[in-house]
Amino acid sequence: DAAAFAGTGLEGLLRCEQAPGALGARLAAALDAGRRLAPAAIVVGTDCASLTQDHLHELAGALAGCDAAIGPAADGGFWGFGSASPRAIAVLARPELPWSSADTLRAVRAALQEHGLTTRLGPQLGDVDTLADLEAAARAGTIAWPLPRDERRHPPYQRRP
């Protein structure tokens, strides 16, 4: 929905409908779509409040001379994955990879290495998966929280005991 991006600074970014399937298959489909437009593509998680343009440039720079560049998240996952290699992208679609776990980054890197593919890591960032993560991001100033809200569309946040 293009209207959802109005006034965000993201209006000019190319968007496509998310592919069906498990997370790895959706990431691989997004990377394939990006590679139809450019030699390499990067996917990023939308839950990484501290992500900046500099982080993206650093991850893109890490792609030089390797098959995949990964931006690690502090919780063992990753906030970004970039590649120009169809073989590396295909590895992401493997159903046995443990998504959304403390072992995701290690497992993805091991799977890539199993296929003779090389990786480089970008900067480690925190993501926002839990209330504690949200509160930490707010304290760090990377996210404004609690967010202003229109109570007709968004009920007020209530902390559970």
Side-chain angles (χ1 to χ4, degrees):
D1 180 11
F5 291 91
T8 66
L10 302 174
E11 297 88 348
L13 292 178
L14 180 65
R15 296 177 298 279
C16 60
E17 191 169 323
Q18 189 175 62
L23 179 57
R26 295 191 316 260
L27 291 172
L31 286 160
D32 283 336
R35 286 200 59 253
R36 285 194 288 275
L37 302 169
I42 295 174
V43 292
V44 297
T46 58
D47 62 349
C48 186
S50 59
L51 181 64
T52 67
Q53 185 174 358
D54 289 340
H55 296 129
L56 291 174
H57 284 290
E58 193 171 338
L59 192 63
L63 274 172
C66 71
D67 297 300
I70 306 171
D75 64 3
F78 54 87
W79 57 262
F81 185 98
S83 186
S85 165
R87 289 178 51 224
I89 293 168
V91 167
L92 284 182
R94 290 174 53 173
E96 69 273 12
L97 289 173
W99 296 104
S100 302
S101 82
D103 202 37
T104 301
L105 176 63
R106 187 212 56 79
V108 168
R109 289 188 82 192
L112 290 164
Q113 289 170 340
E114 258 177 46
H115 287 81
L117 300 165
T118 58
T119 62
R120 285 193 183 153
L121 295 179
Q124 179 175 298
L125 302 173
D127 54 12
V128 180
D129 294 324
T130 66
L131 177 58
D133 295 339
L134 178 64
E135 290 170 338
R139 281 192 304 277
T142 57
I143 190 169
W145 183 75
L147 298 172
R149 63 189 180 277
D150 175 344
E151 293 194 29
R152 291 171 295 168
R153 290 182 34 196
H154 306 286
Y157 170 79
Q158 301 217 349
R159 186 180 193 133
R160 294 183 179 165

